[in-house]
Amino acid sequence: MIKEDSNLIGVKEIARRANVSIATVDRVLHKRGGVAAKTKQRIEEIIKEMDYKPNMLAKRLASKKIYRFAVLIPEESKETEYWKLPLDGIKLALEEEGIFGVEVTYYLFDLDDRNSFTEQGKKILATPIDAVIIAPSFITEAMEFSKTCMEKKIKFVFINSDIPLITPLSYIGPDLYQSGRMAGNIAHYLIKDKGVLVLNISKELDATYHLVKKTEGFESYLREKDSITQIHKLTLNQTDYESVSLELEKFLQYNEVDLIFVTNSRVFVVAEYIKEKGLPIKLIGYDYLESNLKFLEDGEIDFLISQQPVKQGYIAMQTLYNYFITSEDVMKIQHMPIDVLTKENYKYYKL
Amino acid sequence: MIKEDSNLIGVKEIARRANVSIATVDRVLHKRGGVAAKTKQRIEEIIKEMDYKPNMLAKRLASKKIYRFAVLIPEESKETEYWKLPLDGIKLALEEEGIFGVEVTYYLFDLDDRNSFTEQGKKILATPIDAVIIAPSFITEAMEFSKTCMEKKIKFVFINSDIPLITPLSYIGPDLYQSGRMAGNIAHYLIKDKGVLVLNISKELDATYHLVKKTEGFESYLREKDSITQIHKLTLNQTDYESVSLELEKFLQYNEVDLIFVTNSRVFVVAEYIKEKGLPIKLIGYDYLESNLKFLEDGEIDFLISQQPVKQGYIAMQTLYNYFITSEDVMKIQHMPIDVLTKENYKYYKL
DNA sequence: GTTCTAATTGTGTACGTACACGAAGTTATC
DNA sequence: GATAACTTCGTGTACGTACACAATTAGAAC
């Protein structure tokens, strides 16, 4: 018999009320079967009645199952310093959530080499894995990889950018279009009468899907405001200073602009150029990077837009965690805030 | 004797290596004394060697001590809708951290009545309490209350604004001066040749310490940029629409401005006025509130600055939690990011 | 009724830490 | 050398949940 000790808590209390053992309650809670229909019903009622919330501490302490996650994102380099940040977020989440029960392996690919994505992807598929965090930088390759994951019942989330036609467990990243509109909004205050240049700088053309989205948003905003502003567009697929400055030189020979909007984090290259030439051109770009902040502080860059790269990693991890360990519902789309940074507030920006 | 089972973990493993029982290890870990000097040393070495990190889950599960926290902040009202947000943050933290071991009581005072602060404060001091989260809206009263707390060894943190001369366990809130500078930065893009009006709207004059700080920052930025911009200042201590519009009417009769900068969340009152009169005046103000967002969407308000009110509550709670339960070091000052909101990005702003 | 199988339920131990209590061992006191 | 008093240390139970295994009961077959 169960003792009449009241003020019990959790499964014990349920067991007492239902006059069964905690194991039976456990079976119901985990839908493990093997419980008589009416017992089950009785227990379920009590659970509802008590509004029972399992103690997560105890739960995780007692559960020994290990989930294996993989991370497939670009490696950090001087040119793509950015990718350190989402990685930091992932690691942070791992620490905070208490490492118990998750094992993460990192597979980093080269943003300048689409094959490296596929290679790393293959490595992942060769290991027993429950889920992957993917930065789908190369559309075709990412689509293929995603499909294989779906076949193998491996869950995956996208961070930083999404790709068409594929629905991951969750997308964690900016609303690219709206991000462009935000830039347009600011730009509108900076453009006088000479117009603006939208600048895409990227080696792998495939990686420009999200640049295009931003450009669209940007244009749409300006066009709504007025239809006369000159909007020039330029795409460069060499990222080094020499190439960029050369192209800019050429462009500016025949055109005048108030503002340059760089659609990704390589805005520092342009800033360098503007600084060197001492041009009176305003500059908007992306991402909280050392190389950009320098120019923000100095005044060459007027605005930086940042979309919480660290948080993206953090939330991606958390999302998988919630899905697997606490089996919560996960949101299909988790858009990041669109943060506006200037010289005056960037120091307070928490990544 | 201890069994030679290897791959033990945590205290057990320490105990095995030191050839003592886990209770002895526990004594060392908690500095509870009653351990022979050389035993203690041996254990401490092993702890360091292993880089032992206690399992927080187990720790919290096993610990039954209850900490009692109080929260002393303004109550929410139509006029101060704002204060719901930090409260939400506090509650959110409570949920996420797992309610175990903390008991929170709320004491809300009336922002229009300084005595209510003192009254609620007295109530708090009459209960056994470990720490308080304070919004020190009234300087004198908050100073007095803080001092009593210090005498009684009650820890306290400030949120949203700090006060001079008092050092709480931690200050969680904006850098007011810099927040003003940020506003100045934006303002600089909006001001043409007619100058700007800095508008303080607040009933209790004492609650304006942080408005003053913001104003200082705002001015300092504009003055650095140029010394000719006309900066008007106006303080209103009636907050209702009639009074405000009356005063604005009077002011605008003799002055022209490009921009009005409202130093707190009551910017919606001004927006209403501008809308009604159809004035071509830009508007910057504070805080992500329903009443403000409406005007942001409609275009009367151009920029809102927000300083993560929910997060302030969340972090305040987390800070106390870390201090008491996990006895981590806490940062004396935890400044919030200075977020810039416009029509284009506010929907993505996570509170 | 007996025996056997399947369905149902209970017991016990583990997770890593906290802490009450009690068991040794040591030193002091007469 | 016996007793007290203190120092030092170990045993055992608890926290709330998970799960392996054992135990009980019900139903079927003879």
Side-chain angles (χ1 to χ4, degrees):
Chain A
M1 275 294 95
I2 308 284
K3 23 183 174 138
E4 275 303 317
D5 242 338
S6 186
N7 78 356
L8 287 180
I9 218 167
V11 267
K12 279 213 202 87
E13 172 65 8
I14 300 177
R16 190 187 64 79
R17 294 202 201 182
N19 206 37
V20 295
S21 75
I22 58 169
T24 303
V25 175
D26 188 75
R27 285 185 188 93
V28 174
L29 281 172
H30 293 80
K31 304 179 210 274
R32 251 190 259 115
V35 180
K38 63 182 194 311
T39 315
K40 186 179 167 196
Q41 197 195 331
R42 184 154 38 100
I43 294 178
E44 275 171 343
E45 272 168 19
I46 294 177
I47 289 175
K48 193 160 284 176
E49 199 179 297
M50 286 178 52
D51 186 29
Y52 165 74
K53 296 267 163 48
N55 182 327
M56 279 305 158
L57 297 179
K59 197 164 187 160
R60 286 163 57 184
L61 183 60
S63 147
K64 273 156 294 182
K65 169 147 183 43
I66 287 184
Y67 288 96
R68 285 165 223 281
F69 299 157
V71 176
L72 180 58
I73 62 176
E75 64 193 341
E76 187 196 348
S77 71
K78 285 133 287 167
E79 293 242 315
T80 53
E81 188 192 334
Y82 176 83
W83 284 100
K84 179 184 186 306
L85 304 174
L87 198 56
D88 284 348
I90 292 173
K91 287 176 179 165
L92 186 66
L94 276 174
E95 282 173 25
E96 287 196 5
E97 296 293 341
I99 311 162
F100 320 97
V102 252
E103 192 181 286
V104 179
T105 323
Y106 303 92
Y107 300 83
L108 307 180
F109 60 87
D110 181 352
L111 250 191
D112 288 339
D113 174 16
R114 57 201 318 125
N115 290 323
S116 68
F117 182 97
T118 312
E119 278 167 28
Q120 296 296 322
K122 273 189 192 140
K123 277 194 208 165
I124 293 178
L125 293 171
T127 65
I129 222 101
D130 298 290
V132 199
I133 296 176
I134 309 173
S137 306
F138 306 114
I139 300 190
T140 331
E141 286 76 4
M143 281 179 90
E144 197 172 335
F145 182 74
S146 306
K147 278 178 188 156
T148 318
C149 284
M150 288 165 75
E151 283 164 15
K152 292 200 169 195
K153 308 270 179 209
I154 297 173
K155 298 290 171 187
F156 57 93
V157 298
F158 286 158
I159 61 171
N160 201 59
S161 67
D162 54 352
I163 57 182
L165 301 176
I166 303 280
T167 307
L169 180 62
S170 182
Y171 164 59
I172 298 111
D175 179 333
L176 298 165
Y177 183 80
Q178 196 61 28
S179 177
R181 280 186 66 88
M182 178 75 227
N185 187 347
I186 300 170
H188 182 247
Y189 293 107
L190 306 182
I191 299 172
K192 308 292 180 196
D193 49 2
K194 295 186 225 147
V196 56
L197 168 64
V198 181
L199 199 55
N200 289 328
I201 310 179
S202 166
K203 249 179 196 160
E204 278 283 359
L205 284 179
D206 223 28
T208 57
Y209 168 73
H210 74 294
L211 306 190
V212 171
K213 278 282 173 200
K214 287 178 190 166
T215 308
E216 281 175 19
F218 185 82
E219 278 192 80
S220 91
Y221 183 90
L222 287 186
R223 281 290 158 259
E224 277 174 27
K225 283 290 171 178
D226 68 81
S227 52
I228 49 168
T229 298
Q230 271 262 36
I231 304 180
H232 305 272
K233 281 184 278 184
L234 199 56
T235 297
L236 311 181
N237 42 39
Q238 289 303 316
T239 60
D240 59 302
Y241 179 69
E242 281 69 31
S243 315
V244 172
S245 59
L246 202 70
E247 295 290 333
L248 277 177
E249 189 84 42
K250 257 195 270 177
F251 173 83
L252 291 172
Q253 218 167 350
Y254 303 104
N255 305 278
E256 262 192 314
V257 293
D258 295 308
L259 169 74
I260 298 180
F261 168 46
V262 183
T263 53
N264 64 9
S265 61
R266 303 189 198 270
V267 56
F268 60 89
V269 186
V270 182
E272 183 72 51
Y273 176 79
I274 285 184
K275 184 178 190 174
E276 193 188 305
K277 300 285 177 183
L279 297 172
I281 296 183
K282 304 275 183 192
L283 198 50
I284 301 179
Y286 276 87
D287 296 334
Y288 183 92
L289 305 183
E290 278 304 326
S291 34
N292 287 340
L293 294 179
K294 202 178 59 188
F295 292 108
L296 191 65
E297 179 66 41
D298 285 359
E300 282 83 20
I301 297 179
D302 291 85
F303 288 92
L304 281 176
I305 294 177
S306 173
Q307 308 242 180
Q308 316 238 26
V310 176
K311 198 167 183 179
Q312 286 183 36
Y314 188 93
I315 291 189
M317 198 64 232
Q318 205 181 41
T319 300
L320 289 183
Y321 190 86
N322 288 343
Y323 182 81
F324 283 100
I325 287 82
T326 71
S327 53
E328 283 176 20
D329 292 340
V330 307
M331 284 187 294
K332 280 282 159 213
I333 296 181
Q334 304 186 64
H335 279 148
M336 293 294 106
I338 305 171
D339 298 319
V340 177
L341 304 181
T342 75
K343 183 178 174 180
E344 301 305 325
N345 73 346
Y346 80 90
K347 280 179 189 151
Y348 299 86
Y349 188 59
K350 301 282 195 317
L351 275 174
Chain B
M1 273 295 94
I2 309 286
K3 21 181 175 137
E4 275 304 318
D5 241 339
S6 186
N7 79 355
L8 288 181
I9 217 169
V11 269
K12 279 215 202 87
E13 172 65 8
I14 300 176
R16 190 188 63 80
R17 294 202 201 182
N19 206 39
V20 295
S21 77
I22 59 169
T24 304
V25 175
D26 187 76
R27 286 186 187 93
V28 174
L29 281 171
H30 293 80
K31 305 180 210 275
R32 251 191 259 114
V35 180
K38 62 181 195 307
T39 315
K40 186 180 167 193
Q41 197 194 331
R42 184 156 35 100
I43 293 178
E44 276 170 343
E45 274 168 16
I46 294 177
I47 290 175
K48 193 161 284 175
E49 199 179 298
M50 286 178 53
D51 186 30
Y52 166 74
K53 296 266 164 52
N55 182 326
M56 280 305 157
L57 297 178
K59 197 164 186 159
R60 286 163 56 184
L61 182 61
S63 146
K64 273 156 294 182
K65 170 148 183 41
I66 288 184
Y67 288 95
R68 284 165 223 280
F69 299 157
V71 175
L72 181 57
I73 63 176
E75 64 192 342
E76 189 196 348
S77 71
K78 287 133 286 165
E79 293 243 313
T80 53
E81 187 191 335
Y82 176 83
W83 284 99
K84 180 185 185 305
L85 305 173
L87 198 56
D88 283 349
I90 291 173
K91 288 176 179 164
L92 186 66
L94 276 174
E95 281 173 26
E96 285 197 5
E97 295 293 342
I99 311 162
F100 320 98
V102 252
E103 192 182 287
V104 179
T105 324
Y106 303 91
Y107 300 82
L108 307 179
F109 60 87
D110 180 353
L111 250 190
D112 288 338
D113 174 13
R114 57 200 319 125
N115 290 322
S116 69
F117 181 97
T118 312
E119 277 167 29
Q120 296 295 321
K122 274 191 191 138
K123 277 195 208 163
I124 293 179
L125 293 171
T127 64
I129 222 102
D130 298 290
V132 199
I133 295 176
I134 309 173
S137 306
F138 305 115
I139 301 190
T140 330
E141 285 76 5
M143 282 180 89
E144 198 172 334
F145 182 74
S146 305
K147 278 177 188 156
T148 317
C149 284
M150 288 165 75
E151 283 163 16
K152 292 202 170 195
K153 307 269 181 211
I154 297 173
K155 299 289 172 189
F156 58 93
V157 299
F158 286 160
I159 61 171
N160 201 59
S161 68
D162 54 352
I163 57 180
L165 301 176
I166 302 280
T167 308
L169 180 62
S170 182
Y171 165 57
I172 299 111
D175 179 335
L176 298 165
Y177 183 81
Q178 196 61 28
S179 177
R181 280 187 66 88
M182 178 74 228
N185 187 347
I186 299 170
H188 182 247
Y189 293 106
L190 305 183
I191 299 172
K192 307 293 179 196
D193 50 1
K194 295 188 225 147
V196 55
L197 169 63
V198 180
L199 198 55
N200 289 328
I201 309 179
S202 167
K203 248 180 198 161
E204 278 283 358
L205 284 178
D206 223 29
T208 56
Y209 168 75
H210 76 292
L211 305 190
V212 171
K213 278 282 172 202
K214 287 178 191 166
T215 308
E216 281 175 19
F218 184 82
E219 278 192 79
S220 90
Y221 184 90
L222 286 186
R223 280 290 158 259
E224 277 173 26
K225 284 290 171 178
D226 68 79
S227 52
I228 49 167
T229 297
Q230 271 262 37
I231 304 180
H232 306 271
K233 281 183 279 186
L234 198 56
T235 298
L236 311 181
N237 42 40
Q238 289 303 315
T239 60
D240 59 302
Y241 179 68
E242 281 69 32
S243 314
V244 172
S245 59
L246 201 71
E247 294 291 332
L248 279 176
E249 188 84 42
K250 258 196 270 180
F251 173 84
L252 291 172
Q253 217 167 350
Y254 303 104
N255 305 277
E256 262 193 314
V257 293
D258 296 307
L259 170 73
I260 298 179
F261 169 46
V262 182
T263 53
N264 63 11
S265 61
R266 303 187 197 272
V267 56
F268 60 89
V269 186
V270 182
E272 183 70 51
Y273 176 78
I274 285 183
K275 184 177 191 176
E276 192 187 304
K277 301 285 178 183
L279 297 172
I281 296 183
K282 304 273 185 191
L283 198 49
I284 301 179
Y286 277 87
D287 295 333
Y288 183 92
L289 305 183
E290 278 304 326
S291 34
N292 287 339
L293 293 179
K294 201 179 58 186
F295 292 109
L296 192 65
E297 180 65 41
D298 284 0
E300 283 83 20
I301 296 179
D302 292 84
F303 289 93
L304 281 177
I305 294 177
S306 173
Q307 308 243 181
Q308 316 237 24
V310 176
K311 198 168 183 181
Q312 286 183 36
Y314 188 92
I315 291 189
M317 199 64 232
Q318 204 181 41
T319 300
L320 289 183
Y321 190 87
N322 287 343
Y323 181 80
F324 283 100
I325 286 81
T326 70
S327 51
E328 283 176 22
D329 291 342
V330 308
M331 284 187 295
K332 280 281 160 214
I333 295 180
Q334 304 187 64
H335 278 148
M336 293 294 105
I338 305 172
D339 298 320
V340 178
L341 304 181
T342 75
K343 183 178 173 180
E344 300 306 325
N345 72 347
Y346 80 89
K347 279 179 190 152
Y348 299 87
Y349 188 59
K350 301 281 196 317
L351 276 176

